[in-house]
Amino acid sequence: MRVGVFDSGVGGLSVLKSLYEARLFDELIYYGDTARVPYGVKDKDTIIRFCLEALEFFKQFKIDMLIIACNSASAYALDALRAKADFCVYGVIDAGVKATIKALEDKNKEILVIATKATVNSKEYQKRLFSEGFIRVNALATGLFVPMVEEGIFEGSLMRSAMEYYFKGIASPDALILACTHFPLLSRSLSEYFGNKTKLIHSGDAIVEFLKQKERINSKNNKPQLHFYASSDLDSLKNTARMWLNL
């Protein structure tokens, strides 16, 4: 099976890593719209237009499935993509919510969703978690993390300062939903900041479990072939991929 993975930049590599290690598919084709990253500061219509253009890019490869490894795109463009595609299209929000439900049996636990402005404003995570009975759900836009990850800044003094800027006065939540696929690349820094009490939930691991249940896919013996594309600076994306995927 040949599967496309799409993100606004390098963040979707966190999803690609989980898919690659799970060995669910024969080929994985990654496309990062690095020329127009981030999507999280753009309006709904623009996000939909960019995603439909990405869909046209993937059609040349005759893929069997497309995974939208971007929360902002999943929040706004999923229905539009499904209406235009002749293959299955999955986003990461459904998977993230299901992973949270599985991780937290107590509906009184405190959940903090960190994401881009667009994802927070969509209220998709908040609405879905509230509908599942969770009552202590807060969301915070932490958009500066996206360009920092794109620049390869995952830890250190700059990242620590950004976290202190966003999280000052916030007690460690029981669960931290990394509702932007760039943010798992900051897992180590986030864990150090919030401590062991906080459980990190991110889209990569969640989408693997989601697809296993939804598509009833079993792991294969061989790791999938990887192909990388970008709308700008492909070499930089490949360098991040080599580091993140240990290639």
Side-chain angles (χ1 to χ4, degrees), residues 151-209:
E151 287 291 329
I153 301 171
F154 308 127
E155 52 192 345
S157 59
L158 276 177
M159 182 55 62
R160 183 73 185 186
S161 294
M163 290 185 178
E164 289 175 350
Y165 170 75
Y166 283 124
F167 303 136
K168 185 178 180 180
I170 296 177
S172 297
D174 296 292
L176 183 69
I177 300 179
L178 310 184
C180 172
T181 51
H182 284 74
F183 296 173
L185 281 76
L186 306 178
S187 292
R188 181 184 299 177
S189 294
L190 289 165
S191 292
E192 288 176 355
Y193 187 92
F194 284 110
N196 294 330
K197 175 198 170 186
T198 299
K199 182 174 296 188
L200 303 188
I201 298 172
H202 75 80
S203 303
D205 295 339
I207 198 71
V208 166
E209 293 304 313

Side-chain angles (χ1 to χ4, degrees), residues 24-38:
L24 300 181
F25 308 111
D26 301 302
E27 287 185 72
L28 292 169
I29 299 170
Y30 185 92
Y31 175 56
D33 192 7
T34 47
R36 300 186 290 199
V37 68

Side-chain angles (χ1 to χ4, degrees), residues 2-185:
R2 178 181 289 170
V3 174
V5 181
F6 170 63
D7 183 56
S8 61
V10 304
L13 293 172
S14 64
V15 173
L16 186 74
K17 177 181 173 69
S18 296
L19 294 169
Y20 178 68
E21 293 178 346
R23 304 186 183 193
L24 300 181
F25 308 111
D26 301 302
E27 287 185 72
L28 292 169
I29 299 170
Y30 185 92
Y31 175 56
D33 192 7
T34 47
R36 300 186 290 199
V37 68
Y39 281 10
V41 297
K42 296 175 173 63
D43 63 87
K44 176 181 177 179
D45 291 341
T46 300
I47 292 171
I48 292 173
R49 176 164 58 86
F50 288 174
C51 288
L52 290 175
E53 290 173 4
L55 179 65
E56 290 302 312
F57 171 83
F58 277 108
K59 285 183 177 179
Q60 66 184 299
F61 299 104
K62 302 187 184 304
I63 59 175
D64 302 293
M65 180 189 300
L66 178 62
I67 296 171
I68 307 303
C70 172
N71 284 268
S72 297
S74 296
Y76 292 110
L78 198 57
D79 289 342
L81 289 166
R82 285 173 171 167
K84 294 287 187 179
D86 57 1
F87 41 78
C88 292
V89 182
Y90 292 113
V92 289
I93 294 179
D94 284 338
V97 170
K98 288 183 183 297
T100 305
I101 294 168
K102 183 177 180 180
L104 298 178
E105 294 182 3
D106 185 353
K107 299 295 178 69
N108 292 310
K109 293 290 188 181
E110 186 173 359
I111 299 170
L112 177 61
V113 181
I114 58 171
T116 63
K117 181 180 179 181
T119 301
V120 170
N121 287 345
S122 77
K123 298 186 178 179
E124 286 296 319
Y125 277 97
Q126 300 95 304
K127 289 186 292 188
R128 298 187 196 195
L129 290 168
F130 285 138
S131 70
E132 293 292 337
F134 292 97
I135 59 175
R136 302 174 65 197
V137 181
N138 293 300
L140 179 66
T142 55
L144 283 176
F145 291 163
V146 176
M148 293 179 78
V149 168
E150 291 286 330
E151 287 291 329
I153 301 171
F154 308 127
E155 52 192 345
S157 59
L158 276 177
M159 182 55 62
R160 183 73 185 186
S161 294
M163 290 185 178
E164 289 175 350
Y165 170 75
Y166 283 124
F167 303 136
K168 185 178 180 180
I170 296 177
S172 297
D174 296 292
L176 183 69
I177 300 179
L178 310 184
C180 172
T181 51
H182 284 74
F183 296 173
L185 281 76

